[in-house]
């Protein structure tokens, strides 16, 4: 079973930066696509970013494009989400997820999920 653990969440001021990490352990897919999702109170889970196993392909939600960067270090079984120019609207629980499929961006196509890490953007 694949296990995902997020870290790096916290409280930051608007315009600040935060870097999230997600470490994978246990049995995993051969070439997993990794993604980040977020969910704020009263809202549905929202796609944030995804990256192919090789790192050659990345995808971003329009709301975060240009501000967030997803990357991965397969040697460390870790995927990162660098978040810059944070806005209060970015406040949410952020989840990382793994998928056995290529080019996926929908939550339904991701098979394994972490427990989430809270990101709060407030002054």
């Amino acid at each position: 079973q694949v296990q995902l653990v997020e870290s790096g969440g916290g409280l930051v001021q608007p315009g600040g930066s935060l870097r999230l990490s997600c470490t994978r352990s246990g049995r995993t897919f051969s070439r997993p696509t990794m993604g980040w999702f977020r969910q704020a109170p009263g809202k549905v889970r929202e796609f944030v970013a995804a990256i192919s196993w090789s790192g050659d392909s990345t995808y971003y939600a329009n709301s975060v494009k240009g501000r967030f960067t997803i990357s991965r270090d397969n040697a460390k079984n870790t995927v990162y989400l660098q978040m810059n120019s944070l806005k209060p609207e970015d406040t949410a629980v952020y989840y990382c997820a793994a998928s056995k499929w290529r080019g996926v961006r929908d939550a339904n196509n991701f098979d394994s999920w972490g427990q989430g890490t809270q990101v709060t953007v407030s002054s």
Side-chain angles (χ1 to χ4, degrees):
Q1 183 179 1
V2 177
Q3 294 180 326
L4 303 174
V5 180
E6 303 96 337
S7 63
L11 174 65
V12 296
Q13 300 180 52
S17 298
L18 205 61
R19 188 196 194 198
L20 305 183
S21 299
C22 175
T23 300
R24 185 178 74 253
S25 63
R27 289 188 175 274
T28 186
F29 311 120
S30 298
R31 299 177 177 180
T33 297
M34 299 299 297
W36 285 98
F37 295 79
R38 66 187 182 186
Q39 187 168 21
K43 296 184 178 181
V44 299
R45 187 164 297 187
E46 175 188 18
F47 169 77
V48 176
I51 186 169
S52 64
W53 76 273
S54 66
D56 291 339
S57 299
T58 57
Y59 309 92
Y60 298 94
N62 289 334
S63 59
V64 306
K65 190 174 183 179
R67 299 188 297 120
F68 291 9
T69 302
I70 188 171
S71 62
R72 68 191 301 169
D73 186 342
N74 290 339
K76 297 181 178 180
N77 293 320
T78 301
V79 61
Y80 306 95
L81 185 67
Q82 178 67 45
M83 305 185 295
N84 299 325
S85 301
L86 283 163
K87 306 174 181 179
E89 305 92 271
D90 296 319
T91 296
V93 176
Y94 283 70
Y95 300 89
C96 69
S99 175
K100 60 184 178 182
W101 307 104
R102 297 179 179 177
V104 290
R105 310 176 199 182
D106 191 276
N108 292 330
N109 294 322
F110 285 78
D111 311 281
S112 300
W113 295 82
Q115 294 183 343
T117 184
Q118 177 71 49
V119 172
T120 302
V121 184
S122 176
S123 59

